Amino acid sequence: MIREQTGQNFMVKILNTLPSESGLTRIEYEGPRIALFSTNPAYFILNSNIISNMVNSVKKRIIIRTDESIRKSEAECADVLRKVLPSGVKISRLLFDPAVGEVTALVENLTMEYSMSDQDNAILSEKTGWRFLVRRAPKDFGIIEQINSILVRRANERVRFYKEVGEKIFRPRLNERTEVSLVFLGGFNEVGRSCTLVTTNESNVLLDCGINSFSSDMTTFAPRFDVTGLNIDDIDCVLLSHAHLDHSGFLPMLFRHGYRGPIYCSEPTIPLTYLLLKDNIQLIEELSFMGPTSKEIEDVITHMIALPYAVVTDITPDIRLTLANAGHILGSSITHLHFGNGDHNLVYSGDFRFGRSLALENAYWNFQRVETLIVESTLGGKEDILQPREETNQKLLELINSCLSRGGNLLFPVPILGQSQELILTLSGFAKTGMLSAKICIEKSIGEASSIYETYMECLSKEIRQELDGYSINMFKPPKSQIVESKKLRKGSHLIVSPSSMLTHGPSVGYLGQIYDDPLSAVVFTSQILPNTPAHGLVKGKKDVVIEGKMLNVECRVESFVDFTNHSDYGQILAYVKRMKQKLRKVIVNHGDKSKAQNLAGAINRIHRIHTQHPLVEEAVKLV
C-alpha cells in the first residue's frame, strides 16, 4: 500500500496546526513548495520553529507568503526599508516580484557580516506586506533588470504555472514499484548537446538539454528526442546543471515544440542562462538553424524554479532532488536524485571541478547514498593532468611581460563564463601586486557575467568573498581595465579578454583580425581546444587558418594554458570516484571525446573495481 500523503491530506494537517493569530488566509502550491499566505507574516518569522515542526511533520517544503491584501506600494516599501537598513547602506534598486510577494533589495556597501535579522524582517513584512531579500548590487544592472521585467510582466501566468506544477508533484503515486531507466540523448562519447532522459513508472525527467554549437547537422546539433517515443509534453521537468550552452542551449527550442514544465536549477543559473541564450541567438542562426526567439527565451526564464543547495525537494511523485556545488562555474550543480522510498540514488556530476579554483569552492561529494554515478570525462585521458596553478601563473606572467616589453598585444579568447572569470581574477592579482601594468580590455558580455558573479557573492570561494567585502572593491575589474564592445585597438599594448574561446564567432575573431600578422603579439588559449575549430588548427601549429570564411596567415605567437580549465582532470575524477567508492554499484561516463570516455571508464573499472560503462548516444541503461 502506498503511504505517501496526498496534497489535500497535508494541507488539512497544516490548517489544523495553526492558531488564528497566524493570519493564515489560504494554502497554495508554489511549484515544489507549499505556500502559506498570511496577513500576519511576522508571526511566522518570529516563530520559525512552527514552520520547522510543520516541515518535519508533512515532509514537504513550506514557504511563507504575504497575502496580497496587505501589500503596500513600491514607494512606501522603499521608505520603510531605508529606515530599517543600517546607515551607510545605499539601496541601488528594488526589484518587486508580485507572483511571490518578494522584494529584492540590491544595495551597495553590503558586507559579509550584514544579514537581516528576524526582527527587521518581521518589521518590514508587517509594515509593507512584502518579504525582503538583500543582495549586493552589481556594477551592471542590465541582465538582472531585464529578468525582473519578464517575471513581473508574466506574474499571473507564473502563479497559474506554479499551481499546475504542484498539483502534478503532490498527486498520489499510481504505482508503488520503482523502476528507473536512462536514455542517452546527447553528450555521450562526445562533448556537446548534453541530455539524458530519466524514466520511472511515474516520471520522465531530463538531465540538461544542450546543443553542440560546433555542428551544422541537426542529428548531432541537438538531443535525439526522436528515439524516446515520448511527446514533449510527457516530460515532467528539466534539471539544469549550469548555464553553458552545451547543457542549456536547446531549452528555447524545447518550448518551441510545446514543453511547458519547470526547469530546476540554482538561483545564479537563471541570469547566466539568460545572458548566454541572448548572446548566442546569432550563432545558432549561423549554423543554418532558426535561432531562439525573444519569446522562447522568456518562456525559459518564466519556467525556471530556483532551488538552494543541500535542500531536498520533491520534483515528481517518486523523485526527490538535491543540488550541490559543482565548482565549475557560478551556480553549477551536481544533481542527486532519490527514487521512490530510497530504492535507488543517482548522482549526475554535470561539469565539475574537484579541486579549488580562485573563484569557487571544491565540488561537493559527501552524499549519504549513491548507487549510480554519471561522471564527465572532458579531461579523462591519462595525459590530462593539470600543472600546479602557481607554475602556470608564473609562465603566463612571463609570456605577458615578454609581449608587452616588445610592444605587442595579447588576445585571450575565452568563454563568457567560467574560465574568463578565473583569468580575470589571475590578472587582477598580477595587477594589484605590481607585476602587471598594461591596459586590460574586457569584452562587455564577460563584464556582464562577472557582475552576476559579484551579486551572488555567497556562492564564491571564501577568499574572494573576503576580497569583495565592501562595494568599492571589484575583483572582476582589475586596475587599468575597461569594459569594451568589439573595440578597435589603438596604439600601445593591450590585454584583450574576449569570447569566443574557439575563434568560431564573436568579438575575439575581430580582435584576431587586428593582430594576426604581428609577430610581436600573441593569442593565448586557456581552455580545452575542440577539434575542427580554428583554435585547434592554431594550437597544432597551422599558420594558414580560415576564420569566418577568410584565410589568415597567422604570424603572431600562439600559446595554450589549459591549466585554467574549470573541469576536473584525470586524477581529480578518479579521486572523486574514490570518495564514493564504498557506496557505488555503477559508474556511467559521459561528456568526453570517445577516447577519453573509454580511457576513464577502463581506469575506474580497473582501479576501483566498480562496474563502469561509456554508452553511446541513443543507447539506454536500466538501473532498477
Side-chain angles (χ1 to χ4, degrees), residues 34-300:
I34 308 301
L36 309 186
F37 287 80
S38 172
T39 56
N40 184 18
Y43 172 84
F44 292 99
I45 296 170
L46 297 176
N47 296 278
S48 57
N49 61 303
I50 293 175
I51 297 299
S52 299
N53 292 337
M54 279 194 290
V55 169
N56 291 332
S57 175
V58 302
K59 306 300 182 186
K60 309 296 176 188
R61 290 190 62 197
I62 296 175
I63 193 163
I64 303 303
R65 297 299 186 199
T66 59
D67 192 84
E68 292 91 335
S69 64
I70 66 170
R71 295 177 189 172
K72 298 293 194 295
S73 70
E74 295 186 11
E76 290 174 290
C77 288
D79 185 57
V80 172
L81 183 61
R82 289 188 183 94
K83 294 175 181 177
V84 172
L85 288 176
S87 59
V89 175
K90 180 183 176 183
I91 302 172
S92 294
R93 298 285 195 284
L94 290 178
L95 304 179
F96 288 78
D97 186 352
V100 294
E102 285 184 347
V103 182
T104 300
L106 299 175
V107 303
E108 298 180 15
N109 303 324
L110 180 66
T111 64
M112 290 170 59
E113 286 75 21
Y114 176 74
S115 62
M116 190 174 289
S117 68
D118 287 345
Q119 188 69 38
D120 288 345
N121 233 321
I123 292 171
L124 284 170
S125 295
E126 183 178 9
K127 291 187 175 182
T128 68
W130 295 78
R131 294 295 302 274
F132 279 79
L133 305 173
V134 178
R135 284 208 170 279
R136 179 187 174 94
K139 295 296 190 294
D140 186 325
F141 291 92
I143 296 297
I144 300 293
E145 288 188 323
Q146 289 172 44
I147 289 176
N148 184 247
S149 175
I150 294 169
L151 297 180
V152 170
R153 189 169 65 252
R154 300 179 68 168
N156 291 335
E157 175 188 342
R158 288 167 55 220
V159 170
R160 292 192 298 271
F161 163 66
Y162 294 149
K163 290 180 182 178
E164 292 169 0
V165 170
E167 287 168 357
K168 292 179 180 179
I169 292 173
F170 297 115
R171 66 167 173 79
R173 285 181 62 182
L174 303 177
N175 192 324
E176 191 171 12
R177 184 178 177 184
T178 298
E179 295 183 0
V180 184
S181 296
L182 306 176
V183 185
F184 309 115
L185 308 183
F188 286 79
N189 280 277
E190 63 181 9
V191 175
R193 61 167 180 170
S194 288
C195 190
T196 299
L197 174 65
V198 182
T199 66
T200 72
N201 290 336
E202 303 276 348
S203 314
N204 296 299
V205 173
L206 290 182
L207 300 175
D208 287 334
C209 191
I211 59 172
N212 179 355
S213 56
F214 302 105
S215 173
S216 57
D217 179 353
M218 181 54 84
T219 61
T220 55
F221 169 79
R224 294 300 304 270
F225 288 105
D226 56 310
V227 305
T228 65
L230 291 176
N231 295 319
I232 292 296
D233 56 7
D234 291 329
I235 299 169
D236 292 290
C237 60
V238 180
L239 311 182
L240 181 59
S241 65
H242 64 289
H244 280 151
L245 289 183
D246 58 330
H247 296 258
S248 70
F250 200 72
L251 288 172
M253 280 68 89
L254 204 64
F255 282 89
R256 178 181 301 169
H257 292 289
Y259 180 69
R260 293 296 180 268
I263 303 165
Y264 296 106
C265 60
S266 69
E267 188 175 349
T269 298
I270 297 176
L272 293 177
T273 300
Y274 180 72
L275 170 63
L276 288 190
L277 290 177
K278 281 193 61 181
D279 193 72
N280 285 277
I281 290 176
Q282 183 179 353
L283 164 65
I284 296 172
E285 289 176 342
E286 288 173 356
L287 292 171
S288 301
F289 306 124
M290 192 174 88
T293 64
S294 296
K295 167 66 165 55
E296 289 162 353
I297 294 175
E298 285 192 10
D299 286 339
V300 172

Side-chain angles (χ1 to χ4, degrees), residues 394-405:
Q394 184 60 38
K395 293 176 183 177
L396 177 63
L397 185 60
E398 290 172 1
L399 170 64
I400 291 172
N401 288 331
S402 173
C403 279
L404 295 179
S405 65

Side-chain angles (χ1 to χ4, degrees), residues 3-34:
R3 295 181 174 83
E4 290 284 328
Q5 297 183 77
T6 66
Q8 292 300 319
N9 286 342
F10 58 70
M11 284 186 177
V12 169
K13 197 169 187 178
I14 292 171
L15 283 170
N16 292 336
T17 302
L18 293 173
S20 58
E21 59 263 33
S22 68
L24 186 69
T25 57
R26 70 183 194 277
I27 303 175
E28 299 279 6
Y29 294 125
E30 190 181 291
R33 299 173 282 254
I34 308 301

Side-chain angles (χ1 to χ4, degrees), residues 110-113 136 457 465-471 473:
L110 180 66
T111 64
M112 290 170 59
E113 286 75 21
R136 179 187 174 94
M457 58 188 291
R465 292 200 307 271
Q466 291 172 341
E467 290 280 356
L468 289 172
D469 196 10
Y471 191 72
I473 297 176

